[in-house]
Short mmCIF file of all heavy atoms in Angstrom, two decimals:
data_model
loop_
_atom_site.label_atom_id
_atom_site.label_comp_id
_atom_site.label_asym_id
_atom_site.label_seq_id
_atom_site.Cartn_x
_atom_site.Cartn_y
_atom_site.Cartn_z
N MET A 1 8.00 90.00 -4.66
CA MET A 1 6.54 89.99 -4.78
C MET A 1 6.04 90.88 -5.91
O MET A 1 4.90 90.76 -6.34
CB MET A 1 5.90 90.47 -3.47
CG MET A 1 6.06 89.51 -2.33
SD MET A 1 5.28 90.17 -0.84
CE MET A 1 6.50 91.35 -0.29
N GLY A 2 6.86 91.83 -6.33
CA GLY A 2 6.44 92.76 -7.37
C GLY A 2 5.53 93.87 -6.87
O GLY A 2 4.75 94.43 -7.63
N VAL A 3 5.65 94.21 -5.58
CA VAL A 3 4.79 95.25 -5.00
C VAL A 3 5.29 96.64 -5.39
O VAL A 3 6.45 96.83 -5.72
CB VAL A 3 4.71 95.12 -3.46
CG1 VAL A 3 4.13 93.78 -3.06
CG2 VAL A 3 6.04 95.36 -2.78
N PHE A 4 4.38 97.62 -5.30
CA PHE A 4 4.77 99.00 -5.53
C PHE A 4 5.03 99.74 -4.22
O PHE A 4 5.68 100.77 -4.20
CB PHE A 4 3.73 99.75 -6.38
CG PHE A 4 2.66 100.44 -5.57
CD1 PHE A 4 2.73 101.79 -5.30
CD2 PHE A 4 1.58 99.73 -5.07
CE1 PHE A 4 1.75 102.43 -4.55
CE2 PHE A 4 0.60 100.35 -4.32
CZ PHE A 4 0.69 101.71 -4.07
N ALA A 5 4.50 99.19 -3.11
CA ALA A 5 4.62 99.88 -1.83
C ALA A 5 4.93 98.91 -0.70
O ALA A 5 4.46 97.78 -0.69
CB ALA A 5 3.32 100.63 -1.52
N ILE A 6 5.71 99.42 0.26
CA ILE A 6 6.03 98.69 1.48
C ILE A 6 5.46 99.50 2.63
O ILE A 6 5.67 100.71 2.73
CB ILE A 6 7.55 98.48 1.60
CG1 ILE A 6 8.02 97.56 0.46
CG2 ILE A 6 7.91 97.93 2.98
CD1 ILE A 6 9.51 97.35 0.38
N CYS A 7 4.72 98.80 3.50
CA CYS A 7 3.92 99.47 4.51
C CYS A 7 4.11 98.78 5.87
O CYS A 7 3.34 97.91 6.25
CB CYS A 7 2.46 99.43 4.07
SG CYS A 7 1.32 100.35 5.10
N PRO A 8 5.16 99.17 6.62
CA PRO A 8 5.33 98.58 7.95
C PRO A 8 4.38 99.20 8.97
O PRO A 8 3.80 100.26 8.74
CB PRO A 8 6.79 98.91 8.29
CG PRO A 8 7.11 100.11 7.48
CD PRO A 8 6.25 100.06 6.25
N GLY A 9 4.27 98.53 10.11
CA GLY A 9 3.49 99.06 11.21
C GLY A 9 4.19 100.26 11.84
O GLY A 9 5.37 100.18 12.18
N ALA A 10 3.48 101.35 12.01
CA ALA A 10 4.06 102.58 12.55
C ALA A 10 4.55 102.38 13.99
O ALA A 10 5.66 102.80 14.34
CB ALA A 10 3.05 103.72 12.49
N GLU A 11 3.73 101.75 14.81
CA GLU A 11 4.11 101.56 16.23
C GLU A 11 5.39 100.73 16.33
O GLU A 11 6.29 101.08 17.09
CB GLU A 11 2.97 100.87 17.00
CG GLU A 11 1.71 101.70 17.13
CD GLU A 11 1.71 102.66 18.31
OE1 GLU A 11 2.65 102.62 19.13
OE2 GLU A 11 0.76 103.45 18.40
N GLN A 12 5.46 99.63 15.56
CA GLN A 12 6.64 98.77 15.60
C GLN A 12 7.88 99.52 15.09
O GLN A 12 8.96 99.42 15.68
CB GLN A 12 6.43 97.52 14.77
CG GLN A 12 5.41 96.58 15.33
CD GLN A 12 5.10 95.45 14.35
OE1 GLN A 12 5.25 95.58 13.15
NE2 GLN A 12 4.68 94.32 14.90
N ALA A 13 7.72 100.23 13.99
CA ALA A 13 8.86 100.95 13.41
C ALA A 13 9.40 101.98 14.40
O ALA A 13 10.62 102.08 14.60
CB ALA A 13 8.46 101.61 12.10
N LYS A 14 8.51 102.71 15.04
CA LYS A 14 8.95 103.72 16.01
C LYS A 14 9.64 103.05 17.20
O LYS A 14 10.70 103.49 17.63
CB LYS A 14 7.76 104.56 16.49
CG LYS A 14 8.17 105.75 17.36
CD LYS A 14 6.98 106.64 17.61
CE LYS A 14 7.28 107.95 18.25
NZ LYS A 14 8.27 108.05 19.25
N LYS A 15 9.05 101.98 17.68
CA LYS A 15 9.62 101.24 18.82
C LYS A 15 11.01 100.69 18.48
O LYS A 15 11.90 100.65 19.33
CB LYS A 15 8.68 100.10 19.21
CG LYS A 15 9.02 99.43 20.50
CD LYS A 15 7.94 98.39 20.83
CE LYS A 15 8.07 97.92 22.25
NZ LYS A 15 7.03 96.95 22.59
N GLN A 16 11.20 100.28 17.23
CA GLN A 16 12.49 99.73 16.79
C GLN A 16 13.49 100.82 16.41
O GLN A 16 14.62 100.53 16.02
CB GLN A 16 12.30 98.78 15.61
CG GLN A 16 11.49 97.55 15.96
CD GLN A 16 12.12 96.72 17.06
OE1 GLN A 16 13.33 96.55 17.14
NE2 GLN A 16 11.29 96.22 17.96
N GLY A 17 13.07 102.08 16.49
CA GLY A 17 13.97 103.19 16.20
C GLY A 17 14.21 103.45 14.72
O GLY A 17 15.23 104.02 14.33
N TRP A 18 13.25 103.06 13.88
CA TRP A 18 13.40 103.33 12.45
C TRP A 18 13.46 104.83 12.22
O TRP A 18 12.74 105.60 12.85
CB TRP A 18 12.24 102.72 11.68
CG TRP A 18 12.48 101.29 11.30
CD1 TRP A 18 12.86 100.28 12.16
CD2 TRP A 18 12.38 100.72 10.01
NE1 TRP A 18 12.99 99.11 11.45
CE2 TRP A 18 12.69 99.35 10.13
CE3 TRP A 18 12.04 101.23 8.77
CZ2 TRP A 18 12.69 98.50 9.04
CZ3 TRP A 18 12.02 100.37 7.69
CH2 TRP A 18 12.36 99.02 7.83
N THR A 19 14.34 105.22 11.30
CA THR A 19 14.56 106.63 10.99
C THR A 19 14.17 106.92 9.55
O THR A 19 13.98 106.00 8.75
CB THR A 19 16.04 107.00 11.18
OG1 THR A 19 16.81 106.26 10.21
CG2 THR A 19 16.52 106.70 12.59
N VAL A 20 14.12 108.20 9.22
CA VAL A 20 13.77 108.60 7.86
C VAL A 20 14.80 108.06 6.86
O VAL A 20 14.46 107.79 5.70
CB VAL A 20 13.59 110.13 7.75
CG1 VAL A 20 14.92 110.86 7.88
CG2 VAL A 20 12.88 110.50 6.46
N GLU A 21 16.02 107.86 7.30
CA GLU A 21 17.04 107.30 6.39
C GLU A 21 16.67 105.87 5.96
O GLU A 21 16.91 105.49 4.81
CB GLU A 21 18.43 107.31 7.05
CG GLU A 21 19.04 108.69 7.20
CD GLU A 21 18.48 109.49 8.38
OE1 GLU A 21 17.90 108.89 9.32
OE2 GLU A 21 18.59 110.74 8.34
N GLN A 22 16.09 105.11 6.86
CA GLN A 22 15.65 103.76 6.49
C GLN A 22 14.48 103.82 5.51
O GLN A 22 14.45 103.07 4.53
CB GLN A 22 15.31 102.96 7.75
CG GLN A 22 16.56 102.59 8.54
CD GLN A 22 16.24 102.16 9.95
OE1 GLN A 22 15.65 102.92 10.71
NE2 GLN A 22 16.62 100.94 10.28
N ALA A 23 13.55 104.73 5.76
CA ALA A 23 12.43 104.91 4.83
C ALA A 23 12.95 105.40 3.47
O ALA A 23 12.49 104.94 2.42
CB ALA A 23 11.42 105.88 5.41
N ASP A 24 13.92 106.31 3.50
CA ASP A 24 14.49 106.83 2.25
C ASP A 24 15.17 105.72 1.44
O ASP A 24 15.12 105.73 0.21
CB ASP A 24 15.51 107.94 2.54
CG ASP A 24 14.87 109.25 2.93
OD1 ASP A 24 13.65 109.42 2.69
OD2 ASP A 24 15.59 110.11 3.47
N LYS A 25 15.79 104.77 2.11
CA LYS A 25 16.43 103.66 1.41
C LYS A 25 15.38 102.84 0.66
O LYS A 25 15.62 102.42 -0.49
CB LYS A 25 17.20 102.79 2.40
CG LYS A 25 18.04 101.72 1.71
CD LYS A 25 19.00 101.07 2.68
CE LYS A 25 19.96 100.18 1.89
NZ LYS A 25 20.97 99.60 2.74
N ILE A 26 14.25 102.63 1.29
CA ILE A 26 13.16 101.89 0.64
C ILE A 26 12.63 102.68 -0.55
O ILE A 26 12.42 102.13 -1.63
CB ILE A 26 12.06 101.55 1.67
CG1 ILE A 26 12.60 100.49 2.65
CG2 ILE A 26 10.77 101.08 0.98
CD1 ILE A 26 11.73 100.25 3.86
N ARG A 27 12.46 103.99 -0.36
CA ARG A 27 12.00 104.84 -1.47
C ARG A 27 13.02 104.86 -2.61
O ARG A 27 12.65 104.79 -3.78
CB ARG A 27 11.72 106.26 -0.98
CG ARG A 27 10.39 106.42 -0.28
CD ARG A 27 10.09 107.89 -0.01
NE ARG A 27 10.82 108.37 1.15
CZ ARG A 27 10.39 108.26 2.41
NH1 ARG A 27 9.23 107.71 2.67
NH2 ARG A 27 11.10 108.72 3.40
N ALA A 28 14.29 104.94 -2.27
CA ALA A 28 15.35 104.98 -3.29
C ALA A 28 15.37 103.69 -4.11
O ALA A 28 15.83 103.70 -5.26
CB ALA A 28 16.71 105.22 -2.63
N ALA A 29 14.88 102.61 -3.54
CA ALA A 29 14.81 101.33 -4.26
C ALA A 29 13.59 101.27 -5.18
O ALA A 29 13.37 100.27 -5.86
CB ALA A 29 14.79 100.17 -3.28
N GLY A 30 12.78 102.34 -5.18
CA GLY A 30 11.65 102.43 -6.10
C GLY A 30 10.29 102.13 -5.51
O GLY A 30 9.31 102.03 -6.25
N PHE A 31 10.20 102.01 -4.21
CA PHE A 31 8.93 101.69 -3.56
C PHE A 31 8.31 102.93 -2.93
O PHE A 31 9.03 103.81 -2.47
CB PHE A 31 9.13 100.64 -2.45
CG PHE A 31 9.64 99.33 -2.94
CD1 PHE A 31 10.99 99.03 -2.86
CD2 PHE A 31 8.78 98.40 -3.50
CE1 PHE A 31 11.48 97.82 -3.31
CE2 PHE A 31 9.25 97.18 -3.96
CZ PHE A 31 10.61 96.89 -3.88
N SER A 32 6.99 102.93 -2.87
CA SER A 32 6.29 103.90 -2.04
C SER A 32 6.46 103.42 -0.59
O SER A 32 6.40 102.22 -0.33
CB SER A 32 4.81 103.93 -2.43
OG SER A 32 4.06 104.72 -1.53
N PHE A 33 6.67 104.35 0.35
CA PHE A 33 6.80 104.00 1.76
C PHE A 33 5.58 104.52 2.50
O PHE A 33 5.30 105.72 2.47
CB PHE A 33 8.08 104.60 2.36
CG PHE A 33 8.29 104.21 3.79
CD1 PHE A 33 8.89 103.00 4.12
CD2 PHE A 33 7.87 105.04 4.82
CE1 PHE A 33 9.07 102.63 5.45
CE2 PHE A 33 8.06 104.69 6.15
CZ PHE A 33 8.65 103.47 6.46
N ARG A 34 4.85 103.62 3.14
CA ARG A 34 3.61 103.95 3.83
C ARG A 34 3.63 103.32 5.21
O ARG A 34 4.49 102.50 5.50
CB ARG A 34 2.41 103.44 3.02
CG ARG A 34 2.38 104.07 1.64
CD ARG A 34 1.42 103.40 0.70
NE ARG A 34 1.41 104.12 -0.56
CZ ARG A 34 0.32 104.42 -1.24
NH1 ARG A 34 -0.86 104.05 -0.80
NH2 ARG A 34 0.41 105.09 -2.36
N PHE A 35 2.66 103.65 6.04
CA PHE A 35 2.52 103.04 7.36
C PHE A 35 1.10 102.52 7.55
O PHE A 35 0.15 103.11 7.05
CB PHE A 35 2.77 104.05 8.48
CG PHE A 35 4.20 104.23 8.88
CD1 PHE A 35 4.74 105.50 8.99
CD2 PHE A 35 5.01 103.15 9.18
CE1 PHE A 35 6.05 105.68 9.39
CE2 PHE A 35 6.33 103.32 9.58
CZ PHE A 35 6.84 104.60 9.68
N PHE A 36 0.98 101.44 8.32
CA PHE A 36 -0.34 101.05 8.81
C PHE A 36 -0.35 101.27 10.32
O PHE A 36 0.69 101.37 10.96
CB PHE A 36 -0.71 99.60 8.43
CG PHE A 36 -0.01 98.52 9.22
CD1 PHE A 36 -0.49 98.10 10.45
CD2 PHE A 36 1.13 97.90 8.72
CE1 PHE A 36 0.14 97.10 11.18
CE2 PHE A 36 1.78 96.90 9.44
CZ PHE A 36 1.29 96.50 10.67
N GLY A 37 -1.56 101.39 10.86
CA GLY A 37 -1.71 101.52 12.31
C GLY A 37 -1.35 102.89 12.86
O GLY A 37 -0.88 102.99 13.98
N VAL A 38 -1.61 103.93 12.10
CA VAL A 38 -1.38 105.29 12.60
C VAL A 38 -2.66 105.69 13.34
O VAL A 38 -3.53 106.35 12.79
CB VAL A 38 -1.04 106.25 11.43
CG1 VAL A 38 -0.88 107.68 11.93
CG2 VAL A 38 0.23 105.79 10.72
N ASN A 39 -2.74 105.24 14.59
CA ASN A 39 -3.99 105.35 15.34
C ASN A 39 -3.92 106.31 16.52
O ASN A 39 -4.80 106.30 17.38
CB ASN A 39 -4.42 103.96 15.83
CG ASN A 39 -4.82 103.07 14.68
OD1 ASN A 39 -5.40 103.54 13.71
ND2 ASN A 39 -4.49 101.80 14.77
N ARG A 40 -2.89 107.12 16.56
CA ARG A 40 -2.76 108.14 17.60
C ARG A 40 -2.07 109.35 16.99
O ARG A 40 -1.32 109.23 16.02
CB ARG A 40 -1.91 107.63 18.78
CG ARG A 40 -2.48 106.43 19.48
CD ARG A 40 -1.64 105.99 20.69
NE ARG A 40 -0.37 105.41 20.29
CZ ARG A 40 0.83 105.86 20.71
NH1 ARG A 40 0.92 106.88 21.53
NH2 ARG A 40 1.94 105.28 20.31
#
């Protein structure tokens, strides 16, 4: 897509057990790592 940032849902990522290592892999590939739905 040519995006600069990847922004998964925070609730889903936490529920799926996503770790900082997974976010770091996305960052290492050159993307900004962000979250949507940080509502608590």
Side-chain angles (χ1 to χ4, degrees):
M1 291 180 282
V3 300
F4 90 99
I6 295 175
C7 186
E11 294 274 354
Q12 292 172 334
K14 188 171 190 322
K15 191 175 193 179
Q16 296 301 321
W18 273 52
T19 65
V20 71
E21 289 79 20
Q22 289 164 301
D24 285 344
K25 187 168 190 176
I26 290 169
R27 280 188 282 273
F31 298 98
S32 172
F33 183 84
R34 300 167 177 224
F35 274 131
F36 75 84
V38 177
N39 293 324
R40 299 183 290 124

